[in-house]
Amino acid sequence: MVFASETFLFLFLPLFLLAYFLTPRRGKNLTILLGSYLFYAWWRIDFLGLLVATTVFTWVCGRGIAAHLGRRRGKAWLVAGLGGNLAVLGTFKYLGFFMDSLAAAFGTTPDQLGFHWQIILPIGVSFYVFQSISYLVDVWRKDAPADTGLIDFAAFIALFPQLIAGPILRFKDLADQFRDRRSTPEMVADGFARFTIGLAKKVLLADAIAPLADLAFTTADPANPVAWLGAVAYMLQLYFDFSGYSDMAIGLGMIMGFRFTENFNTPYISRSITEFWRRWHISLSVWLRDYLYIPLGGNRFGTARTYFNLWIVMVLGGLWHGANWTFVIWGAWHGTWLALERAKIVPQGNGALSVLRTLLTVLVGWVFFRAADLDQALGVLAGMAGLNGTAIPFDIAVQIRNEALVFLALAIMVAALEPRLKDLVRQWRAQDISSGTAAGLAGTDSGTSGMVSVMAPTRSATAAASSLAGSLALALLFTACVLRISEAAFTPFLYFQF
């Protein structure tokens, strides 16, 4: 089940929210857990068992660590917990990749080596394993509470808004919210608004320009215009697809009273790769910093070791995205640029040229990220370099639809104007709240403050008009998304594969 589907929008979500808000406060985490397991089982019920087993195993190890904090037995529980979670990830995500690479090294196939398994990658496994690892480490570091009940912990791991594709949450950030949270009418309204905006990003932008990216990456030796068109389209498709999912996850969390961390902050205006990673997939960057870069030594062991740590963390971050050499190269590409910027070999400028250089660097990386294999990536890059010619074959040209080009132009405009649009929304919300407060003051102090009583009706009318306009805009946006979903084929989120 995906958020951008009629089943989720008109069946699962209404029934879940009805059950959630009818449940007494003490039982809400159990409702979340049951709803999340149903959400996951909708895909494959057998892999729900893996999720449950991983959760219980991690919780037991966490209790073991807590019972022996600072002692060898506690460390043994930590090692066992980390080993078990890494074994799950290694088996389901990397065993096939390892066997393929081993067989290729010997010039044979996995079948001929006696390896006949076809292992299915459970959706969301990368995310819930990372969240489990961070919980165990945080308990060991005394950063996360050790007396957590199984229901609360299981609800955190399975929390359906973020279970499939993040953001990567940390229990220490949400423990208090699992104990006590309140869902106010303002949070519910803001949550639905955030969800609708995310849905529009996914359905109206990302899906609309996807055919351009698919065309470039499935065409052998794409011509220069096709290669550039496809690479730029994928760059924007991935951003609006993934940030749209994150918006929907954050919005659903707000409806239930949670405050999740932001996962994106207009990354395509970055002036360096270092800044880009402060704005792109923020929850992953923070996770890699706290649970990989710092344990490796961070910048504590000299300059050369710092550069190596930056590089290897990004390589492992690339491998986390998928068991493919293209992801390893993508990670190494970013790690190299981070090290070069840290060494000041590549200056971090402030102007438009710095933004353009960063965009081109990120774009080249996305080609490896999107390609099915190295040959496909090198074919697209050769096309971008003009090595495949500039003439577009007729059978390729007819597949470039005007509708997709229009939405690509719209996506570029939205990405460029997004910082300004966010400022406008913040100002509108601040004005809305301020006007509402003034109206409230008028109701309580009208007898003592003539100025407030005169100004409040005007502000109240302005607030009402502004709120009505915003609600109508969101309703129209949601309607457009539903119409698009009803006529389009099923399109899962890109990060489901990770």
Side-chain angles (χ1 to χ4, degrees), residues 444-488:
T444 56
D445 297 341
S446 57
T448 58
S449 175
M451 181 64 72
V452 170
S453 63
V454 169
M455 295 293 294
T458 303
R459 290 185 177 180
S460 180
T462 304
S466 176
S467 180
L468 179 61
S471 300
L472 286 174
L474 287 171
L476 289 173
L477 199 59
F478 184 79
T479 303
C481 292
V482 171
L483 292 174
R484 181 75 180 178
I485 291 170
S486 65
E487 70 176 11

Side-chain angles (χ1 to χ4, degrees), residues 29 32 131 134-135 138 143-145 148 151-163 166-182 187 249-250 253-254 256-262 283 291:
N29 289 345
I32 289 176
Q131 293 182 175
S134 66
Y135 170 74
D138 287 338
D143 287 337
T148 306
I151 297 297
D152 288 0
F153 179 71
F156 160 72
I157 292 293
L159 190 59
F160 76 86
Q162 54 79 54
L163 174 62
I168 302 172
L169 304 178
R170 299 189 292 185
F171 189 72
K172 68 176 182 179
D173 298 326
L174 291 176
D176 290 340
Q177 298 181 46
F178 272 95
R179 289 196 189 99
D180 183 30
R181 63 182 177 279
R182 296 178 187 277
M187 286 185 71
I250 292 170
M254 291 173 71
M256 288 185 270
F258 289 103
R259 295 284 188 184
F260 296 164
T261 55
E262 293 293 336
S283 63
Y291 304 102

Side-chain angles (χ1 to χ4, degrees), residues 222 227-228 363-365 367-368 376-388:
W228 275 98
L363 183 66
V364 171
V367 171
F368 285 100
Q376 192 179 71
L378 294 176
V380 174
L381 290 174
M384 293 170 67
L387 300 180
N388 299 333

Side-chain angles (χ1 to χ4, degrees), residues 11 35 144 220 237 242 277 287 351 388 415:
L11 180 62
Q237 179 200 359
F242 191 23
W277 280 103
W287 197 99
N388 299 333

Side-chain angles (χ1 to χ4, degrees), residues 30-50:
L30 179 59
T31 302
I32 289 176
L33 178 62
L34 296 176
S36 298
Y37 280 170
L38 174 62
F39 176 84
Y40 195 83
W42 204 278
W43 170 62
R44 283 187 59 138
I45 195 168
D46 49 350
F47 282 107
L48 176 62
L50 179 66

